[in-house]
Amino acid sequence: MSLAPFHDPSWEIWAHNSAAPACPRVDRFFDLHAKQVWKADKSWHKDYQTWLSQLPVPIYMQHHYAEVPQSIRYPKERILSEFRRYFTSQAAWMMALALTEGVTHLGFFGIHYGAACERDWQRPGCEYWMGMANALGVEIINTEDSATGKTIDGRMYGYWDNGHKPLSEFLSQET
């Protein structure tokens, strides 16, 4: 998160629930979990519900909630009418919304999906939407320390042998 352009006003900062404690500036916030989830105690934020209720920016949620005055109902139906149903993370929903708004650049600062529980289920969907954005001409900016949206050690399937040598080196050994 330290590489995020929090102090650059040309960037609009979007964040989701678990990033709350790490963001000195947020322009839009997302917590698309069911009410019982966002109301539950959080190990990563001492008083998340109070913080959420006082956040002075648009907060995309499943519904507008009176206890979160800035909450906005996420336009799920519109998004699903425009895109394939492949949403395995909040980042995926965030990217889909950004694409409907004509985004030209997407920066990924702190979205790693490196933990096993995230890697197995959330990261594939995030990478799918990164690919969708890229295919639509959106520039993807990612940090070096993120595993999301990258190949392992820069390897490309079919062009590396089991010893991780380039295919050209492997083929030159056969001739």
Side-chain angles (χ1 to χ4, degrees), residues 99 106 128-140:
L99 290 173
L106 284 173
Y128 169 84
W129 285 97
M130 290 171 89
M132 281 286 294
N134 186 254
L136 293 171
V138 175
E139 183 177 341
I140 303 296

Side-chain angles (χ1 to χ4, degrees), residues 57-153:
V57 300
I59 304 168
Y60 291 88
M61 302 183 89
Q62 288 188 11
H63 304 280
H64 170 73
Y65 299 101
E67 57 264 58
V68 182
Q70 293 300 103
S71 62
I72 297 170
R73 186 178 180 281
Y74 183 86
K76 180 181 113 184
E77 292 76 17
R78 179 170 57 91
I79 298 300
L80 293 177
S81 74
E82 294 185 37
F83 296 111
R84 177 179 180 243
R85 295 178 69 107
Y86 191 38
F87 296 95
T88 62
S89 67
Q90 289 200 79
W93 289 108
M94 293 163 73
M95 283 184 269
L97 181 61
L99 290 173
T100 67
E101 295 181 0
V103 68
T104 59
H105 295 72
L106 284 173
F108 295 85
F109 307 98
I111 297 179
H112 304 293
Y113 294 122
C117 63
E118 298 172 328
R119 186 173 52 245
D120 296 343
W121 189 64
Q122 293 182 5
R123 189 162 80 190
C126 181
E127 290 176 328
Y128 169 84
W129 285 97
M130 290 171 89
M132 281 286 294
N134 186 254
L136 293 171
V138 175
E139 183 177 341
I140 303 296
I141 297 134
N142 203 355
T143 59
E144 287 298 317
D145 64 339
S146 176
T148 305
K150 297 181 179 173
T151 60
I152 301 168
D153 301 328

